[in-house]
Amino acid sequence: KLSAVGLVASIVKPALANEDTISDPFFSDYNGGAKMISTWSHGQEANRAGWKLLEEGKSSLEAVEAGARQTESDVTNRSVGIGGMPDREGHVTLDACIMDWNSNCGSVGCLEGIAHPVSVAKHIMQNTPHVMLVGAGAKKYALKHQFETIKTPLPEVKKEWEKWKKEQAAIAKKPEINHENHDTIGLLAIDEAGRISGACTTSGWAYKLPGRLGDSPIIGSGLFIDQEVGGAVATGLGESIIRIAGSHTVVELMRQGKSPEQACKETVERLIRKHKDMSGLQCAFIAINTKGEVGGFSVFNGFNYALKTKDQDVLIDTPFDRKW
Ligand code: ASP
């Protein structure tokens, strides 16, 4: 209970979101070594960026942020950061979130013109009483805290969008979404101390309706960490992942004793049960548990994730439910 003075103080200065959660020191008997997994082949570069920090003894939180930043800066990536595809009106709006072993989390949605949404998400997590900022408010926050700005779409991406707009003129009048590409990066890391963190960053569905948010910035859908169990991230059609609170579902299945791969598989099966039309509906999950075991599963073939450990730097094709 708050005293009168405490109550007034809490109104004047709201607690930080992370003052509310269990805090360090962190104790665990984990001795499986640091490990990082990230979605898709661009995950390898991201893992390498994160790994540098893990090697220096930095936390899994810093590693996943560094990995996500690597992909956000990749001008050749059409689904994350500066190289991302725009919405149907030509605006590149970015979504990202981050979560640590203490259940601290931060998120931004529909953020335009900022180079590293994942770092804005982390800043929100560490410096405000909130979890999520979107749109103009998120932009204002990022500018206020001097986050690097970028000009999007890149000229070549703009050209592609203009071409698409011409070809799709008839469709573009209707509020329909068609998906051209989606390849978010989701990252999970466990550090030497056994602390698990995750991050997720994307430009979302190419040519989406303005204002659309997918699963990626939504804690529980695109990403979820619970240090009692492990963590999971998702990629694929965000609308379907949100419908089953995908990443949270994976973590809860692991809580019931399922391996990361089995938990991802059962989550994919649940997603399939909830959708009549699965044509082209690719979704995938990757997961890690507190023992450092990892796994993934996708709806269709063709999904892979990158794994980095002290001795390994590999791409792993996940098992899947069906073939294209
Ligand atoms: N999940 C992302 C979204 O729906 C896209 C992706 O994973 O490619 O925005």
Side-chain angles (χ1 to χ4, degrees):
K1 263 201 223 154
L2 287 173
S3 67
V5 174
L7 183 63
V8 171
S10 77
I11 292 168
V12 176
K13 182 189 171 298
L16 294 179
N18 53 9
E19 280 173 7
D20 242 14
T21 59
I22 317 291
S23 58
D24 288 333
F26 180 86
F27 299 108
S28 103
D29 52 9
Y30 179 70
N31 59 12
K35 209 175 256 191
M36 191 151 169
I37 54 172
S38 301
T39 56
W40 304 107
S41 53
H42 49 229
Q44 279 197 292
E45 281 301 317
N47 281 354
R48 287 171 198 149
W51 189 257
K52 275 194 204 141
L53 300 184
L54 288 172
E55 255 182 346
E56 290 167 13
K58 300 260 169 60
S59 75
S60 55
L61 181 70
E62 287 167 284
V64 292
E65 181 194 15
R69 285 174 66 96
Q70 155 69 35
T71 315
E72 286 174 343
S73 316
D74 178 356
V75 289
T76 66
N77 190 310
R78 290 287 164 267
S79 52
V80 179
I82 187 165
M85 303 277 272
D87 66 17
R88 61 180 45 216
E89 291 181 4
H91 296 275
V92 179
T93 59
L94 305 174
D95 303 332
C97 72
I98 194 158
M99 188 161 190
D100 76 7
W101 58 93
N102 277 325
S103 296
N104 296 311
C105 43
S107 159
V108 282
C110 240
L111 179 61
E112 199 176 348
I114 300 293
H116 294 297
V118 73
S119 298
V120 183
K122 180 164 159 253
H123 199 277
I124 292 166
M125 161 178 134
Q126 292 180 329
N127 297 284
T128 81
H130 307 307
V131 167
M132 190 165 195
L133 294 181
V134 301
K139 176 89 181 256
K140 199 170 167 188
Y141 183 88
L143 293 177
K144 182 173 172 216
H145 294 284
Q146 279 139 29
F147 280 91
E148 183 191 339
T149 57
I150 47 172
K151 197 163 159 12
T152 52
L154 294 178
E156 58 271 34
V157 176
K158 190 165 176 211
K159 236 186 241 161
E160 266 178 71
W161 167 70
E162 278 161 355
K163 185 165 162 270
W164 173 85
K165 219 171 84 171
K166 243 187 242 155
E167 287 167 3
Q168 305 282 319
I171 301 169
K173 285 189 194 117
K174 290 194 262 159
E176 274 178 8
I177 39 178
N178 67 335
H179 58 114
E180 308 283 323
N181 85 325
H182 44 97
D183 280 334
T184 303
I185 181 150
L187 315 93
L188 297 167
I190 187 164
D191 57 30
E192 290 283 344
R195 300 173 298 186
I196 296 175
S197 300
C200 191
T201 181
T202 189
S203 53
W205 198 338
Y207 311 139
K208 60 197 172 187
L209 288 178
R212 178 262 189 190
L213 289 182
D215 61 307
S216 305
I218 300 178
I219 299 296
S221 287
L223 167 69
F224 194 66
I225 308 290
D226 184 338
Q227 186 66 40
E228 291 174 12
V229 180
V233 280
T235 178
L237 187 68
E239 283 73 3
S240 306
I241 296 162
I242 293 171
R243 209 161 273 136
I244 59 155
S247 294
H248 181 260
T249 299
V250 174
V251 171
E252 291 313 301
L253 287 165
M254 291 196 290
R255 195 189 301 276
Q256 291 168 20
K258 308 284 162 61
S259 69
E261 181 181 313
Q262 185 63 21
C264 292
K265 178 172 189 280
E266 289 185 27
T267 303
V268 162
E269 286 164 353
R270 186 179 301 182
L271 186 145
I272 291 170
R273 285 201 303 279
K274 303 293 175 196
H275 293 86
K276 273 193 225 105
D277 181 9
M278 290 301 297
S279 47
L281 202 166
Q282 175 67 312
C283 284
F285 298 93
I286 59 172
I288 188 165
N289 65 18
T290 47
K291 287 186 238 159
E293 295 165 340
V294 299
F297 202 86
S298 54
V299 174
F300 286 96
N301 57 317
F303 172 67
N304 50 23
Y305 69 94
L307 165 71
K308 179 89 187 87
T309 67
K310 193 155 98 13
D311 315 306
Q312 280 176 293
D313 185 349
V314 289
L315 261 183
I316 297 171
D317 290 326
T318 58
F320 48 86
D321 185 82
R322 58 193 64 196
K323 284 200 163 176
W324 287 105

